[in-house]
Amino acid sequence: MGRKPGFTDEQVFVWLSEHLAQAPGVTVQQVSKGTGVSVGSLYHRYGSMEGLLAEAWIWAQEHFSRLIVPLLKADGERAATRAALEVLNFVNANKAAATLLFLVPERYLVRPGLDLSIMDRVAEARDLLTSAISDFANRINHIAETVELAVLQLPASLAEKYLPHGTIPPQAELYVRKTCRMILSNPLEIEEVEHA
């Protein structure tokens, strides 16, 4: 059987997300067999297995940031709640990217010793979301860790239960709304615990 003469990054990353959701490791030979892309083509595009994994993380992070960052440009608790709910929508609509971000540990995908150019792109992808959270927190007079907990960490933790193939039930939105509002409307108690 011949190998695919052309392939997209998304085809490879979707297969990778499904594999890593079930197994703790992967080889380039497994990626080749699973995707139908030759080992040589994979090395030509990604340079190494580590490069492929890092590119998959960047792809997932950029998908996520494109949805969340614009919502954090607005102000107030309602904007934060909309962003938190969008985390759930992201999981239902983008299973592969959500699996790579929320189910597979980042330390597995982004490893030491990567090429500097890839590490720069990893840092840029991280900084985009981190900066958006920090700017939003400053505008609403919260600390960034509190906003990150309410908007990202708690909905992402809830979402993990339904990855890679489940659908988040509608009642999860109610839990996320209430939790986000509770955290952001009671900053003093939460922030005192964080700094204890």
Side-chain angles (χ1 to χ4, degrees):
M1 179 178 168
R3 298 300 194 180
K4 294 178 184 176
F7 64 96
T8 66
D9 291 329
E10 185 165 352
Q11 288 170 333
V12 174
F13 301 156
V14 167
W15 181 89
L16 189 65
S17 73
E18 292 171 355
H19 177 86
L20 292 177
Q22 306 300 324
V26 67
T27 65
V28 72
Q29 288 77 17
Q30 288 172 316
V31 177
S32 176
K33 183 177 180 182
T35 61
V37 178
S38 71
V39 170
S41 294
L42 292 169
Y43 277 118
H44 178 74
R45 182 168 296 184
Y46 304 112
S48 65
M49 190 67 224
E50 291 75 17
L52 189 159
L53 294 171
E55 291 287 356
W57 182 88
I58 292 167
W59 170 80
Q61 182 72 11
E62 287 178 346
H63 267 61
F64 186 59
S65 293
R66 275 196 293 272
L67 294 175
I68 301 301
V69 169
L71 295 173
L72 294 174
K73 293 187 184 300
D75 289 332
E77 184 183 295
R78 292 178 76 180
T81 302
R82 281 195 299 274
L85 292 172
E86 193 59 43
V87 175
L88 302 184
N89 293 333
F90 174 79
V91 171
N92 281 336
N94 301 276
K95 292 280 196 246
T99 296
L100 291 170
L101 286 183
F102 304 144
L103 203 58
V104 180
E106 183 181 326
R107 67 182 178 276
Y108 180 79
L109 297 171
V110 180
R111 300 176 178 183
L114 288 165
D115 288 345
L116 193 56
S117 61
I118 297 178
M119 286 308 298
D120 286 345
R121 290 175 53 231
V122 166
E124 185 179 332
R126 280 187 185 132
D127 289 348
L128 181 62
L129 191 55
T130 301
S131 296
I133 291 169
S134 180
D135 291 346
F136 181 84
N138 288 336
R139 292 197 311 274
I140 65 169
N141 199 30
H142 277 272
I143 62 171
E145 289 86 351
T146 300
V147 172
E148 185 176 0
L149 177 68
V151 173
L152 299 181
Q153 291 177 357
L154 288 175
S157 295
L158 178 64
E160 283 180 30
K161 177 178 173 62
Y162 300 97
L163 288 169
H165 301 298
T167 299
I168 298 174
Q171 63 266 32
E173 290 192 6
L174 178 62
Y175 302 144
V176 167
R177 271 183 206 278
K178 288 186 173 181
T179 304
C180 186
R181 288 174 180 166
M182 184 275 294
I183 291 172
L184 295 180
S185 63
N186 297 288
L188 186 58
E189 294 88 343
I190 298 293
E191 290 170 11
E192 283 176 345
V193 169
E194 288 176 344
H195 287 95

